Amino acid sequence: MAVTGVSANRLELLQIADAVAREKNIEKEIVIEAIEEAIQKGAKSRYGNHHDIRARIDPKTGELALTRHVTVVEDDWTPEDELEEFNDSALVRLRDAAKRDPEAFAGKEYIEQLPPFEFGRVQTQMARQVVMGKVREAERERQFEEFKDRVGEIVNGTVKRVEYGNVIVDLGRGEGIMRRDQSIPREIFNLGDRIRTYIYDVRPEAKGPQVMLSRAHPGFMAKLFAQEVPEVYDGVIEIRAAARDAGSRAKMAVLSNDSSIDPVGACVGMRGSRVQAVVAELQGEKIDIIQWSPDEPTFIVNALAPAEVSKVVLDEEADRVEVVVPDEQLSLAIGRRGQNVRLASQLTGWQIDIITESQDSERRQREFAERTLLFQEALDVDEVIAQLLVTEGFATVEDLAFVEPYEISEIEGFDEETAEELQARARDFLDRQAAEQDARRKALGVDDAMLTVPGVTLPMAVTLGERQIRTVEDLADLATDEVRGGFEVKNGERVRVPGVLESFNLSQEDAEMLILQARVAAGWIDASELPQPATEPEFEEGFGEDYLSEAEQLFDTGPAAASDAADAESDADGADDASSER
């Protein structure tokens, strides 16, 4: 738009403001404010920037008022910025104002009406930039306000342009961007194509709000089911978790709030009509639908379908689960390039390790033999007694030394006297072992103060001494990766670097706390700076790997079962490729 001068026809100003507001879909008042600011800057360039000149357009009549303001200030008033000088064109001190106006007081404002004037070429160009800048800013704010509350919705749009694989989509009252990694592989869009996408984020960036779109997000699949399945839309059926390998395969866990409705069957539809509509939109992506349940092991078993599972062992502290499958089911459980186990891990929120029954049996036999030999040597007992202790679940000498005596005496063939004798031998062994380790620690030159650091055990102190870490300061100076181990790039390759206490299997949090406690003991930081134990967070539902969920059983019906059957043969081919994914 062009601003030719402040003497323009009153109606013309209002017509310009109205036309721009309609075109940009913003408030008319915002355009009028932009025109006022443009006129104000033009007037300042004519009369001087040091003047306090204000422009006001009546939104009803279009009448323009151009005024110059001078404000009275106290005699001792100084600018907030020390580098700024007193502006005697916009401000007047009380003592000077009183000479001309006996009724002057601090804060009084003198207003002078200025005559209209014509804009020159430079002033017109400057006014145009001011108005269009204001309009663009208002348009961006309007777009952000419109889309910020629509995160999680499916929107229809038209492909506006394609840039390096990123698709710019015209959404009507704004535009969004679908980056290459958020599109379904092998899906090609051309200019003018109609497209359905999922808003997963809206970011207020400097160049304007970015509406982030996706067709690969798990939420896109969930919203498609909400459109195709009335029970999901009404909330009778909940989609509790979803995981996708976009364009290839997906898993989804559902729960029914009505016991008379089968959630899996409702999502599949009559002869698979409902699920096929979603599959068509997702370019043939195979979808496994699983019923959600609060039983975690059962959910993990069903999430690995179509593979059969023999045993599940949970490690809740590490959020890992070990799954044992029959030898012939290994390929099916892992899937082509690890796809089945990867999706099951994302769906359940557990890190899943898969081993075969034969591997599990070999490992248990090896552990049984190692523990038996340990008890024989530590307690000086025969093989039969050692095997009995291992069979009853004792894994270490510490386990035996500090349990209640009745837990040993209740073993068949043992009595209280035997239990007391075994515990006495176990404690003697631990005392001898501790004395040997302490002597080793002293020989390595490890300070006694090292044992006062919370979390540092005697075996740890010995291991630290063997790695030339002998003082509390040495320990405090370590980084977490130096304690636990980590990766670094050498000659262009990412290689594993072992940690000094890697054999103790410390978690990230434990390693960080160990270092912080050492820094407290060394006097580097105060104990009050240590992180406080976190309270149990509220459980939030969502999609993807951060979501923990369980399911009772997998209903092999409709297209979901068909996809399992179709994958069974291809999964078997991918066993070798997938072994590295475990």
Side-chain angles (χ1 to χ4, degrees):
M1 65 169 287
V3 179
T4 59
V6 300
S7 58
N9 183 280
R10 300 182 220 169
L11 293 178
E12 187 178 334
L13 284 176
L14 294 181
Q15 288 169 355
I16 292 172
D18 192 53
V20 173
R22 282 200 308 269
E23 179 186 350
K24 301 298 183 180
N25 196 24
I26 59 178
E27 297 293 332
K28 180 180 176 181
E29 290 75 12
I30 295 175
V31 182
I32 292 178
E33 287 177 8
I35 297 175
E36 289 174 346
E37 184 176 334
I39 295 173
Q40 182 175 303
K41 286 198 173 184
K44 283 189 174 183
S45 69
R46 181 182 179 89
Y47 294 111
N49 286 323
H50 51 283
H51 289 288
D52 181 8
I53 297 176
R54 304 175 194 177
R56 174 79 173 87
I57 298 175
D58 190 309
K60 294 182 180 180
T61 65
E63 186 73 36
L64 171 66
L66 192 63
T67 55
R68 172 176 173 262
H69 296 246
V70 178
T71 305
V72 179
V73 296
E74 297 286 355
D75 293 338
D76 58 352
W77 183 90
T78 56
E80 294 182 4
D81 188 346
E82 294 180 359
L83 300 178
E84 184 182 351
E85 296 181 0
F86 183 82
N87 184 0
D88 55 4
S89 295
L91 302 171
V92 60
R93 297 192 185 277
L94 181 58
R95 62 173 177 266
D96 296 328
K99 295 176 183 177
R100 293 172 295 184
D101 181 10
E103 297 180 357
F105 58 89
K108 185 173 182 178
E109 195 173 59
Y110 299 100
I111 301 175
E112 176 188 355
Q113 293 290 334
L114 297 178
F117 67 95
E118 293 294 331
F119 272 36
R121 182 179 60 83
V122 175
Q123 292 167 328
T124 300
Q125 185 64 27
M126 181 179 64
R128 183 198 303 273
Q129 293 173 352
V130 170
V131 173
M132 296 314 297
K134 277 281 189 179
V135 168
R136 278 195 299 270
E137 183 180 339
E139 192 177 11
R140 290 170 180 171
E141 186 175 344
R142 190 267 309 159
Q143 183 174 334
F144 178 72
E145 290 296 323
E146 178 169 342
F147 287 100
K148 71 176 183 178
D149 296 326
R150 298 183 65 185
V151 173
E153 290 185 13
I154 287 180
V155 291
N156 295 312
T158 305
V159 176
K160 195 172 182 179
R161 60 185 183 275
V162 179
E163 301 174 347
Y164 306 104
N166 301 327
V167 181
I168 310 301
V169 182
D170 184 355
L171 301 176
R173 300 185 65 176
E175 65 178 35
I177 179 170
M178 182 173 68
R179 301 194 184 279
R180 181 185 301 177
D181 61 342
Q182 291 298 326
S183 62
I184 297 175
R186 300 179 298 279
E187 195 172 40
I188 299 175
F189 294 103
N190 299 311
L191 186 66
D193 287 352
R194 294 288 295 171
I195 182 175
R196 273 207 291 184
T197 57
Y198 177 82
I199 301 177
Y200 71 91
D201 193 14
V202 179
R203 303 170 185 170
E205 298 183 1
K207 60 182 179 181
Q210 295 290 300
V211 181
M212 311 305 295
L213 306 175
S214 174
R215 286 176 59 82
H217 196 283
F220 181 54
M221 179 181 67
K223 286 296 181 180
L224 288 174
F225 270 101
Q227 292 182 353
E228 297 293 337
V229 183
E231 293 86 348
V232 175
Y233 180 81
D234 294 336
V236 178
I237 294 175
E238 296 180 33
I239 299 176
R240 301 300 298 269
R244 291 180 64 194
D245 193 348
S248 177
R249 190 168 183 176
K251 291 179 182 285
M252 185 175 74
V254 294
L255 169 70
S256 175
N257 294 319
D258 187 340
S259 58
S260 64
I261 296 178
D262 170 20
V264 177
C267 291
V268 171
M270 185 69 68
R271 297 182 182 178
S273 58
R274 292 174 173 177
V275 74
Q276 286 295 356
V278 178
V279 169
E281 179 67 33
L282 300 180
Q283 305 299 312
E285 192 171 307
K286 300 170 185 175
I287 303 174
D288 299 337
I289 303 176
I290 299 168
Q291 184 170 344
W292 186 88
S293 164
D295 184 51
E296 295 176 353
T298 305
F299 184 29
I300 293 169
V301 168
N302 292 329
L304 286 168
E308 298 176 4
V309 176
S310 303
K311 186 173 68 173
V312 174
V313 180
L314 299 179
D315 182 355
E316 295 186 1
E317 291 185 0
D319 283 339
R320 299 181 72 91
V321 58
E322 184 178 85
V323 176
V324 181
V325 300
D327 290 35
E328 66 277 7
Q329 293 283 315
L330 179 63
S331 300
L332 205 57
I334 295 173
R336 183 184 293 274
R337 295 182 179 87
Q339 185 184 65
N340 192 55
V341 67
R342 183 172 64 252
L343 289 176
S345 179
Q346 292 174 6
L347 189 73
T348 61
W350 290 84
Q351 181 65 40
I352 300 176
D353 299 321
I354 297 180
I355 62 173
T356 63
E357 289 180 342
S358 59
Q359 291 172 330
D360 182 52
S361 176
E362 290 174 4
R363 185 187 62 184
R364 285 189 285 108
Q365 290 177 4
R366 183 176 63 254
E367 290 177 351
F368 186 86
E370 290 173 353
R371 291 172 183 174
T372 298
L373 183 60
L374 171 64
F375 284 128
Q376 282 184 269
E377 295 177 348
L379 306 178
D380 191 21
V381 295
D382 58 31
E383 186 178 10
V384 175
I385 293 177
Q387 288 178 345
L388 278 172
L389 293 172
V390 176
T391 303
E392 289 298 322
F394 293 103
T396 65
V397 178
E398 287 85 349
D399 292 345
L400 184 69
F402 300 109
V403 298
E404 294 295 330
Y406 74 86
E407 294 188 33
I408 303 174
S409 61
E410 287 180 351
I411 299 174
E412 186 175 355
F414 286 14
D415 53 25
E416 293 182 2
E417 185 178 346
T418 305
E420 291 176 1
E421 177 63 24
L422 289 174
Q423 285 196 307
R425 294 187 183 186
R427 289 166 183 160
D428 287 344
F429 171 78
L430 293 176
D431 289 343
R432 291 196 304 273
Q433 189 179 58
E436 292 171 0
Q437 289 176 338
D438 197 45
R440 173 66 176 160
R441 174 188 67 82
K442 293 177 180 178
L444 291 168
V446 179
D447 287 353
D448 294 343
M450 187 77 83
L451 296 176
T452 65
V453 177
V456 175
T457 63
L458 192 53
M460 283 184 185
V462 173
T463 303
L464 290 170
E466 291 172 345
R467 299 296 297 271
Q468 309 301 313
I469 299 169
R470 299 188 176 95
T471 67
V472 173
E473 288 75 13
D474 292 342
L475 178 59
D477 198 41
L478 295 179
T480 308
D481 286 348
E482 292 177 297
V483 173
R484 298 181 69 244
F487 292 89
E488 65 180 41
V489 178
K490 291 184 178 179
N491 300 324
E493 295 185 1
R494 190 167 179 261
V495 297
R496 172 77 180 177
V497 178
V500 294
L501 296 178
E502 187 170 349
S503 60
F504 293 88
N505 297 320
L506 296 176
S507 66
Q508 179 80 13
E509 294 75 14
D510 290 342
E512 291 174 355
M513 183 56 71
L514 187 69
I515 295 171
L516 289 174
Q517 292 284 11
R519 291 173 182 176
V520 171
W524 295 2
I525 62 175
D526 190 79
S528 61
E529 299 180 44
L530 294 178
Q532 299 300 314
T535 57
E536 195 68 24
E538 291 290 331
F539 189 83
E540 296 183 1
E541 297 178 8
F543 301 106
E545 343 181 304
D546 295 332
Y547 185 77
L548 302 180
S549 56
E550 300 77 31
E552 292 180 354
Q553 78 184 85
L554 175 67
F555 288 85
D556 292 329
T557 58
S563 71
D564 288 340
D567 282 351
E569 182 176 352
S570 63
D571 285 345
D573 295 336
D576 294 337
D577 294 335
S579 61
S580 63
E581 295 285 342
R582 288 187 290 136

